Amino acid sequence: MSRYTPDTVDGTLFLVGADDRVEIGAVDDVVAAVGGETYTIEYDQRQRKQPWLRTDEGELEIDVREAVTTLSHGGETVSEIRASDLETDRYGLPTRTVEFADTVVEILERQGSRDA
């Protein structure tokens, strides 16, 4: 399965595959659609016992800007995102940008890659 890596050009995020390039939208818009510069994942008591998780409060803060500009995605995910256009939705953000942001949140909440 092909992987797409993020590429940022003049503040615009693209996902780039072998012979493909999909515009996602402005990185600032993605960050806004996720809800801000940081995203907090909360772990329950069982999850906190995992040896790799080092958190006293059961929370892990993710730098959203870093995550969206470094996290790669599988071809299936990119196809789903591509199905949305770049027309502005009722909140003033491109539909594809919001779809991408929702996908990132889903991945963060699952603490792993959607297409692994």
Side-chain angles (χ1 to χ4, degrees), residues 10-108:
D10 296 328
T12 300
L13 180 65
F14 296 87
L15 295 178
V16 181
D19 294 324
D20 194 16
R21 184 176 188 85
V22 179
E23 182 176 350
I24 300 302
V27 174
D28 289 342
D29 288 346
V30 174
V31 171
V34 169
E37 293 288 334
T38 59
Y39 187 85
T40 303
I41 300 171
E42 295 183 19
Y43 294 94
D44 63 25
Q45 290 296 335
R46 182 184 56 79
Q47 292 170 319
R48 290 180 200 180
K49 294 178 182 175
Q50 299 300 317
W52 57 266
L53 182 61
R54 304 219 191 288
T55 176
D56 295 328
E57 302 298 319
E59 295 180 343
L60 183 64
E61 279 198 3
I62 305 296
D63 180 316
V64 172
R65 192 171 298 274
E66 179 182 357
V68 301
T69 59
T70 60
L71 182 64
S72 67
H73 300 275
E76 184 177 321
T77 298
V78 174
S79 290
E80 291 172 12
I81 292 167
R82 183 195 312 269
S84 299
D85 59 29
L86 287 169
E87 294 295 319
T88 302
D89 71 5
R90 65 180 182 209
Y91 300 108
L93 296 173
T95 305
R96 184 180 297 161
T97 304
V98 173
E99 178 70 23
F100 176 76
D102 290 346
T103 299
V104 169
V105 168
E106 181 182 318
I107 291 168
L108 293 176

